[in-house]
């Protein structure tokens, strides 16, 4: 059924954004370290197959029942990149407040919350009236789930425990994202 196909893009103004899974202090091997610090190092995120299987059960049940309206994993670039990508190809922005990562060093707590690539995490959106159903599915499967924000506006606004972290027009962020590979090669040619 075409109505049950779940893509990455947010679908409706007012939908609630939910983070399924747990964010841990896992920046090792991340896009953040590679792009921002030009480092490829550290211990990559750990994958727990039983945790992943539980998450997949929630996603399948949520999609099949029509509860989940959109879904996108957080494996490349963390939650911040995932949220931005969910806005691309739509006129919709997002306003989200993430929990910090308490075990991260103080100067990396916000960075870990935004860019850690912890396994078994997915950003989903649900209609307001479906939040309880999704949270119930997640609880029954033992999957951490938290409503973190709402779809709407024309900006990608992300705070970490109320501290402003990202506030960009969707159109600006999408333009940068769409031309990133081209820009990277232009920089490399200029250096050579």
């Amino acid at each position: 059924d075409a109505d049950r196909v779940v893509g990455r893009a947010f679908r409706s103004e007012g939908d609630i954004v939910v983070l399924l899974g747990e964010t841990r202090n896992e920046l090792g091997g991340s896009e953040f370290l590679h792009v921002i610090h030009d480092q490829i190092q550290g211990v990559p995120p750990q994958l727990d197959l039983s945790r992943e299987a539980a998450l997949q059960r929630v996603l399948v049940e949520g999609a099949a029942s029509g509860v989940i309206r959109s879904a996108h994993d957080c494996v490349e670039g963390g939650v911040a990149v995932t949220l931005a990508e969910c806005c691309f190809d739509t006129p919709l922005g997002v306003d989200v407040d993430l929990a910090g990562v308490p075990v991260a060093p103080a100067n990396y707590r916000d960075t870990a919350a935004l860019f850690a690539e912890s396994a078994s995490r997915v950003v989903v959106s649900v209609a307001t009236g479906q939040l309880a159903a999704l949270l119930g599915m997640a609880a029954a499967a033992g999957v951490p789930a938290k409503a973190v924000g709402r779809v709407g506006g024309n900006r990608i606004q992300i705070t970490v425990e109320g501290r402003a972290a990202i506030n960009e027009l969707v159109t600006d962020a999408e333009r940068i994202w769409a031309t990133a590979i081209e820009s990277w090669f232009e920089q490399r040619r200029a250096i050579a």
Side-chain angles (χ1 to χ4, degrees):
D1 183 336
D3 292 337
R4 300 285 188 242
V5 173
V6 176
R8 71 160 167 79
F10 291 137
R11 294 185 44 192
S12 296
E13 181 105 16
D15 281 356
I16 297 174
V17 178
V18 177
L19 178 60
L20 297 174
E22 179 184 6
T23 304
R24 293 179 296 282
N25 182 25
E26 296 179 313
L27 288 170
S30 67
E31 284 295 307
F32 172 80
L33 283 181
H34 178 64
V35 172
I36 302 302
H37 297 288
D38 198 25
Q39 296 178 0
I40 300 175
Q41 67 180 31
V43 177
Q46 296 180 7
L47 174 62
D48 178 320
L49 292 178
S50 62
R51 191 179 311 196
E52 181 67 24
L55 173 66
Q56 294 303 321
R57 283 191 297 275
V58 171
L59 293 171
V60 168
E61 181 182 353
S65 65
V67 169
I68 294 176
R69 297 177 54 103
S70 70
H72 190 17
D73 65 61
C74 303
V75 298
E76 190 172 19
V79 175
V81 171
T82 297
L83 287 165
E85 289 176 346
C86 290
C87 295
F88 298 162
D89 303 321
T90 79
L92 301 168
V94 68
D95 189 353
V96 165
D97 187 45
L98 300 172
V101 180
V103 296
N107 58 335
Y108 274 99
R109 285 187 183 137
D110 291 0
T111 301
L114 295 165
F115 302 109
E117 296 178 357
S118 301
S120 305
R121 288 181 312 151
V122 175
V123 167
V124 301
S125 65
V126 298
T128 302
Q130 295 294 334
L131 178 61
L134 176 65
L135 295 179
M137 289 175 200
V143 173
K146 182 175 183 193
V148 294
R150 195 169 289 275
V151 175
N154 63 353
R155 302 187 76 79
I156 299 165
Q157 298 179 101
I158 306 173
T159 57
V160 179
E161 294 180 352
R163 294 181 301 280
I166 296 171
N167 187 350
E168 295 292 328
L169 284 169
V170 171
T171 52
D172 291 347
E174 188 168 7
R175 181 182 36 76
I176 292 166
W177 177 79
T179 60
I181 291 175
E182 184 179 305
S183 296
W184 185 84
F185 280 111
E186 284 177 15
Q187 290 172 358
R188 296 293 184 227
R189 278 196 293 270
I191 293 170

